Amino acid sequence: MTTKTPTGRSDFDEAALYFHRYPKPGKLEIQATKPLGNQRDLALAYSPGVAAPCLAIQEDPSLAADFTARANLVAVISNGTAVLGLGNIGPLASKPVMEGKAVLFKKFADIDVFDIEIDALKVNQMVDTISALEPTFGGINLEDIKAPECFEVEEQLREKMNIPVFHDDQHGTAIIVAAAVMNGLELAGKKLSDVKIVTSGAGAAAIACLNLLVSMGAKRENIWVNDIDGLVYEGRNTLMDRWKAVYAQKTDHRVLADVIGGADVFLGLSAAGVLKPELLQQMAPNPLIMALANPTPEIMPEEARAVRADAIICTGRSDYPNQVNNVLCFPYIFRGALDVGATAINEEMKMATVMAIAGLAREEVSDVAAKAYPGETPSFGPNYIIPSPFDPRLILRIAPAVAKAAMETGVATRPIEDMEAYIDKLNRYVFRSGLIMKPVFAASRSASKKRVIYANGEDERVLRAAQVVLEEGIAIPTLIGRPSVIEARLKRFALKIRPGVDFEIINPEDDPRYRDYVELMHKLTGRQGITPEAARALVRTNPTVIAALAVVRDEADALICGLEGRFERQLTLVKQILGVEAPLRDLSTLSLLISPRQTLFFTDTYVNIDPTAEEIAEMTILAAKEIRRFGIEPKAALLSHSNFGSRDSESAAKMRKACNILQQISPELEVDGEMHGDAALSQIQRDRVFPNSRLKGEANLLVFPNLDAANITMNVVKMVTDALHVGPILLGAARPAHILTPSVTSRGIVNMTALAVVEASQRAAQK
């Protein structure tokens, strides 16, 4: 329950004020993308170096996309006359909203934004001010400008400017509504050309929605528009404009109640409570109710269902299914438009977006999107006709569709030559591991299918990963778990894979191989303190044990475990059952961190507490071999508090010795040490103390003297840089196995599955 504070504000409002004030006022900042660490950097960034790109752009204006941020920079512009839910609050008061819109652009599509609030009320003032900004931006997003001025402003700007101009309040809403109408009518078994559409509200968003629906096939004669002054009819003189007049009907009807009968679609962009239950009862069978007034819709969903159980309902609220939220489209429309240098966002690009959003709603819900829903994961149906705004696949569907439409309609100045490569690039917004994992996934798909067994088969993340693994042709999964639980959770999460058809289940409570597993367990571990009684208990209760035994019995080619329980315990079981590959001394781990700036590998982050110089050399060679599977040539730095002999401690001597061993047994590996962390990542820093280093450029493999240093550094870097962790990648096991951590995502499981498959395939080829 929301409570009042001593200031009279709600606790939520107080939290919002604190959020916007600390640790720095506002939600945005500007950061340099180039180093400015010395005089030369400054000379290149400003005078005299800046003259070169200036002259190049003067000679060829298209080069602004190469030498400046313009091609990825959008202006979010408002005069504050129609701020959602707040009305005409003025430009200055609208700034937090525009900053919020900028944050959404960056978060969902990595587009940079300047929010610009203008003190301009007249159309010509707005047009002159905004059009003068064209040299700065790659696109213009108009926001919260009242109707009818917003229509005229956008129309004039589109004629004057040679970059995309998009009024999101109009077209963003229209696109989501159109996608919902497509899917809602499909479920109802109706055609757009036949349905009767009744609207409440005739502002910018409502008119844009109707215009787009007409372009998709709706008939003007089937559309009945109502506003605060009643029905829009021929001859009406009050509150009319040329955009609204297009939908004026020749009729004696005057109010909503006169025209709601037999309506198939109600589109509300007006005020709370407008659609009364008795009016809803008069609508056609299986009506589509789009009650989009915020924060309280024209009719509450529970009220609508009480009188019309057959209704499909959309609102603008996040606490009900089918939320119409503009963030579903605007970041990705601009992403596609900017990436091809579009001069406009035309009808074809909007239509392509509609089709992409409607199509995505018919796919299985991703694990990230599923977190936005309480209870069971929805599937395409009355309560799920629009994807979640947090579905990470939106950018993969919308941006390419918009880019293709722009190229096909001739508004793209920088056409994309390789669309597949473009989609791969977009993957970094969905899964930051996408680009670096590409060689691994390609190798896993091309290999003969390997069987991967998952110890924690009842976990939602494993179930989602198993579906992706099957869909992408990476592996054949086997899940350990109770069949009834797995089947119930597949249904709950709306996953289409089926046990016994798509994958095998090993039931730990009732499997005919139980005695065989127990005998093998005791045979492998009897001399490691495991009694027959203990072996029986472990096989019955520990899924990692079952999974590892299945690999030994060649019932699976690789093992994935670790989603539950302590890493150390899982490691012990893997060593006991699978063993260490000869002639290696021990297992080790490699962790991959993918940050916005760079990709780094860390070893050993989970296993060896204080390895010897020989063990460090061994794990470095194993790590280098693994890194090459990513298509990356390893560049290893052996780290220490000593910098090329500056200290003579035992730890420094160990790293120095490890470097000497590596240079002898693996002369092809680019490695050096012992060195400081900054020297490892900076050629300049390294050259100052040791210009003859064998390591050139930045290291991508950081090798630590002990587990404390490795694990602490890895976790600090992960948090500070917002890096994605891939791993831990287990190195040195006699058979492919990976022990994950409880925080792993389903995509992380898919990543590790691909790595396990590649390893299993390479081992099979060697044999």
Side-chain angles (χ1 to χ4, degrees):
M1 179 182 292
T2 301
T3 58
K4 294 289 184 180
T5 66
T7 64
R9 300 188 182 98
S10 71
D11 53 359
F12 183 81
D13 288 343
E14 289 289 353
L17 292 173
Y18 185 92
F19 176 88
H20 283 79
R21 181 176 290 150
Y22 301 104
K24 299 169 70 172
K27 298 187 285 282
L28 299 171
E29 67 178 5
I30 295 175
Q31 290 188 348
T33 60
K34 299 296 188 293
L36 296 171
N38 53 54
Q39 187 61 42
R40 179 173 174 77
D41 290 344
L42 294 174
L44 290 170
Y46 196 53
S47 180
V50 75
C54 289
L55 294 173
I57 294 169
Q58 182 186 35
E59 184 176 335
D60 181 0
S62 69
L63 292 177
D66 297 327
F67 297 135
T68 75
R70 182 176 186 262
N72 194 52
L73 186 62
V74 166
V76 171
I77 302 178
S78 179
N79 66 355
T81 53
V83 178
L84 181 64
L86 301 174
N88 186 355
I89 60 174
L92 182 59
S94 76
K95 188 172 180 62
V97 180
M98 302 312 124
E99 284 190 359
K101 196 67 177 276
V103 170
L104 295 179
F105 267 107
K106 188 67 177 178
K107 168 69 176 177
F108 289 101
D110 197 28
I111 293 172
D112 296 316
V113 165
F114 289 164
D115 65 289
I116 300 177
E117 295 72 34
I118 58 175
D119 188 6
L121 297 177
K122 295 181 179 179
V123 169
N124 63 333
Q125 284 181 300
M126 285 187 273
V127 171
D128 290 344
T129 302
I130 297 169
S131 62
L133 298 172
E134 181 170 349
T136 301
F137 297 101
I140 303 291
N141 183 91
L142 301 177
E143 193 78 16
D144 294 346
I145 301 171
K146 73 181 182 70
E149 287 90 340
C150 62
F151 298 118
E152 190 67 47
V153 168
E154 186 188 41
E155 189 174 280
Q156 291 190 30
L157 288 173
R158 292 183 68 174
E159 291 177 0
K160 293 186 68 171
M161 303 183 77
N162 204 37
I163 57 175
V165 178
F166 186 83
H167 186 203
D168 185 45
D169 299 329
Q170 292 182 56
H171 308 300
T173 303
I175 286 166
I176 311 304
V177 164
V181 168
M182 277 187 63
N183 283 341
L185 294 183
E186 179 176 315
L187 290 172
K190 301 176 182 181
K191 292 183 179 179
L192 183 58
S193 58
D194 299 333
V195 299
K196 179 180 180 180
I197 302 171
V198 175
T199 77
S200 175
I207 297 301
C209 290
L210 296 176
N211 290 344
L212 186 54
L213 289 173
V214 167
S215 69
M216 292 173 59
K219 301 293 180 59
R220 290 183 188 273
E221 57 266 28
N222 294 339
I223 297 174
W224 300 78
V225 177
N226 299 267
D227 63 10
I228 196 171
D229 209 37
L231 184 70
V232 174
Y233 60 91
E234 289 186 9
R236 195 180 106 171
N237 297 316
T238 57
L239 296 178
M240 291 295 289
D241 55 59
R242 63 185 174 95
W243 295 278
K244 192 186 302 185
V246 171
Y247 296 100
Q249 294 275 19
K250 187 175 183 179
T251 179
D252 294 330
H253 297 314
R254 291 296 181 265
V255 294
L256 176 65
D258 295 338
V259 297
I260 195 69
D264 300 282
V265 178
F266 171 81
L267 174 59
L269 287 151
S270 54
V274 167
L275 183 61
K276 306 298 182 185
E278 57 269 24
L279 298 181
L280 177 54
Q281 288 179 317
Q282 301 176 37
M283 294 184 68
N286 303 311
L288 174 59
I289 310 301
M290 309 202 70
L292 307 182
N294 260 323
T296 306
E298 285 79 2
I299 187 168
M300 294 298 290
E302 54 269 22
E303 190 178 12
R305 289 195 182 90
V307 295
R308 290 299 297 266
D310 60 338
I312 299 173
I313 306 166
C314 300
T315 70
R317 294 170 56 131
S318 61
D319 53 346
Y320 289 98
N322 296 325
Q323 182 193 14
V324 174
N325 188 329
N326 289 11
V327 79
L328 276 163
C329 69
F330 72 81
Y332 317 119
I333 291 173
F334 272 95
R335 182 73 276 158
L338 292 173
D339 288 340
V340 295
T343 58
I345 294 174
N346 56 31
E347 289 300 306
E348 291 82 359
M349 294 159 76
K350 289 187 282 184
M351 288 286 291
T353 307
V354 171
M355 301 302 292
I357 293 172
L360 183 57
R362 301 174 197 181
E363 300 181 27
E364 286 82 11
V365 178
S366 73
D367 63 311
V368 177
K371 293 176 183 177
Y373 299 97
E376 292 192 7
T377 303
S379 57
F380 182 59
N383 288 326
Y384 186 69
I385 62 174
I386 312 172
S388 163
F390 296 99
D391 194 315
R393 299 168 297 175
L394 284 162
I395 194 170
L396 298 178
R397 304 295 185 272
I398 296 174
V402 169
K404 288 178 184 176
M407 292 188 290
E408 290 168 358
T409 55
V411 297
T413 62
R414 299 190 305 275
I416 294 170
E417 295 181 2
D418 187 340
M419 188 57 66
E420 185 177 343
Y422 175 60
I423 294 173
D424 279 340
K425 182 180 177 182
L426 291 174
N427 260 296
R428 76 179 189 268
Y429 303 116
V430 184
F431 310 115
R432 284 180 290 174
S433 59
L435 288 178
I436 192 168
M437 288 296 298
K438 183 180 178 181
V440 175
F441 278 107
S444 67
R445 293 188 191 101
S446 63
S448 59
K449 292 297 174 287
K450 297 298 178 184
R451 302 157 300 167
V452 177
I453 189 165
Y454 300 87
N456 309 106
E458 296 178 1
D459 192 287
E460 176 189 354
R461 294 164 293 176
V462 170
L463 296 174
R464 293 188 179 282
Q467 176 151 311
V468 173
V469 162
L470 283 164
E471 288 178 345
E472 297 192 9
I474 295 170
I476 302 169
T478 297
L479 275 55
I480 297 177
R482 293 161 294 178
S484 59
V485 173
I486 290 175
E487 290 183 20
R489 291 181 179 178
L490 288 172
K491 183 178 179 181
R492 177 183 177 188
F493 303 132
L495 299 173
K496 66 183 181 183
I497 56 174
R498 294 294 173 260
V501 178
D502 300 306
F503 64 94
E504 180 188 350
I505 293 178
I506 295 179
N507 183 0
E509 295 180 346
D510 182 21
D511 190 278
R513 294 165 289 190
Y514 171 70
R515 292 182 182 275
D516 296 332
Y517 285 153
V518 171
E519 289 179 6
L520 179 58
M521 179 65 181
H522 187 254
K523 178 182 177 181
L524 294 172
T525 62
R527 293 183 180 275
Q528 300 177 53
I530 303 297
T531 66
E533 183 71 21
R536 282 191 290 272
L538 284 168
V539 173
R540 181 67 73 191
T541 62
N542 196 306
T544 297
V545 169
I546 300 172
L549 291 169
V551 172
V552 174
R553 285 165 52 90
D554 290 325
E555 295 167 356
D557 300 298
L559 157 67
I560 301 290
C561 64
L563 278 74
E564 297 175 4
R566 296 177 65 85
F567 183 93
E568 295 82 358
R569 178 58 178 153
Q570 308 281 330
L571 182 69
T572 298
L573 292 171
V574 168
K575 287 176 69 172
Q576 286 178 326
I577 299 170
L578 298 184
V580 178
E581 185 177 16
L584 301 177
R585 293 172 174 82
D586 201 352
L587 303 178
S588 61
T589 55
L590 177 69
S591 288
L592 165 61
L593 291 188
I594 305 168
S595 74
R597 181 184 178 273
Q598 64 191 150
T599 296
L600 288 174
F601 293 87
F602 296 71
T603 195
D604 166 28
T605 48
Y606 281 89
V607 177
N608 292 277
I609 295 175
D610 189 14
T612 65
E614 290 76 13
E615 289 171 332
I616 288 171
E618 185 176 89
M619 68 177 64
T620 302
I621 292 173
L622 288 174
K625 180 181 178 181
E626 191 71 26
I627 291 170
R628 291 190 179 100
R629 289 191 175 125
F630 292 86
I632 298 173
E633 189 59 31
K635 299 163 72 73
L638 306 188
L639 302 184
S640 173
H641 67 282
S642 173
N643 208 19
F644 295 103
S646 64
R647 301 284 293 273
D648 201 25
S649 66
E650 183 178 340
S651 172
K654 176 175 71 174
M655 300 306 284
R656 205 174 304 145
K657 181 180 179 181
C659 185
N660 291 333
I661 294 171
L662 283 166
Q663 290 176 2
Q664 292 173 15
I665 65 176
S666 185
E668 77 287 352
L669 177 63
E670 188 174 336
V671 60
D672 211 339
E674 80 287 9
M675 70 179 75
H676 287 174
D678 56 355
L681 300 176
S682 169
Q683 177 85 46
I684 294 174
Q685 293 283 355
R686 194 161 57 250
D687 286 346
R688 285 174 181 167
V689 294
F690 194 70
N692 298 320
S693 173
R694 296 180 69 245
L695 180 65
K696 303 301 178 186
E698 294 185 6
N700 54 27
L701 170 58
L702 304 183
V703 183
F704 294 86
N706 56 51
L707 184 58
D708 279 345
N711 190 271
I712 292 169
T713 303
M714 187 267 294
N715 281 299
V716 169
V717 171
K718 179 175 68 174
M719 296 302 296
V720 169
T721 64
D722 189 28
L724 176 71
H725 179 212
V726 177
I729 303 167
L730 190 63
L731 305 177
R735 294 172 182 259
H738 293 295
I739 306 167
L740 308 185
T741 58
S743 62
V744 70
T745 64
S746 66
R747 189 65 193 184
I749 297 171
V750 173
N751 287 338
M752 297 308 297
T753 300
L755 280 167
V757 167
V758 172
E759 181 182 356
S761 298
Q762 291 178 350
R763 288 182 181 229
Q766 290 170 358
K767 287 182 179 180

